[in-house]
């Protein structure tokens, strides 16, 4: 699947966002190595700190389905006029399950998209020697 299609699926996933507090919808589409796509959306809570970002929703959903190997991630923020990159917590979370060359695309409603990698998003990754996940 090409990056444009994956990004389109991320935009569709954003329609499932539960974000009454921020009014900021985010969707994520995770391409799995088996060719399937697992999506996620941000899910907020009235106890604000419990909010789960779209990226973590997608990863946890995929892992819960037994999908452990991933090829690419797209993140779409239809309420933003610029490409919104994954938050620090999501970078750390994602890094547990993918390699530094893992492709990530993110974009808003306008402002184009950014194509980057896990390693660029999180340089000087620490504690990778403790990870038990075989991403390679
Ligand atoms: N959010 C995400 O889901 N992913 C990101 O990469 C950035 C932030 C969500 C969290 C919260 O529901 C809303 O966007 C505003 O921060």
């Amino acid at each position: 699947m090409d990056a444009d299609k994956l990004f389109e699926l991320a935009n569709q996933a954003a329609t499932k966002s539960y974000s009454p507090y921020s009014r900021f919808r985010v969707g994520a589409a995770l391409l799995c190595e088996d060719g399937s796509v697992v999506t996620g959306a941000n899910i907020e809570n009235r106890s604000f700190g419990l909010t789960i970002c779209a990226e973590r929703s997608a990863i946890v959903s995929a892992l819960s389905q037994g999908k452990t190997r991933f090829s690419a991630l797209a993140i779409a923020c239809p309420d933003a006029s610029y490409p919104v990159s994954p938050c620090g917590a999501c970078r750390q979370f994602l890094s547990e399950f993918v390699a530094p060359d893992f492709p990530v695309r993110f974009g808003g409603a306008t402002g184009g998209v950014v194509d980057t990698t896990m390693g660029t998003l999180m340089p000087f990754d620490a504690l990778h020697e403790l990870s038990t996940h075989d991403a390679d």
Side-chain angles (χ1 to χ4, degrees), residues 61-69:
S61 184
L63 292 166
S64 302
Q65 294 174 37
K67 297 171 181 181
T68 59
R69 299 176 69 85

Side-chain angles (χ1 to χ4, degrees), residues 32-114:
C32 304
E33 268 192 17
D34 66 4
S36 64
V37 174
V38 176
T39 60
N42 56 326
I43 308 296
E44 298 185 345
N45 192 275
R46 65 189 187 277
S47 178
F48 299 158
L50 296 180
T51 290
I52 301 174
C53 294
E55 297 89 325
R56 276 175 290 146
S57 293
I59 299 160
V60 168
S61 184
L63 292 166
S64 302
Q65 294 174 37
K67 297 171 181 181
T68 59
R69 299 176 69 85
F70 310 117
S71 305
L73 175 68
I75 306 153
C77 300
D79 299 317
S81 58
Y82 65 96
V84 178
S85 67
C87 80
C90 285
R91 294 179 198 205
Q92 177 67 41
F93 200 93
L94 182 63
S95 76
E96 183 80 13
F97 303 107
V98 305
D101 64 352
F102 178 79
V104 178
R105 168 175 286 202
F106 54 88
T110 57
V113 296
V114 172

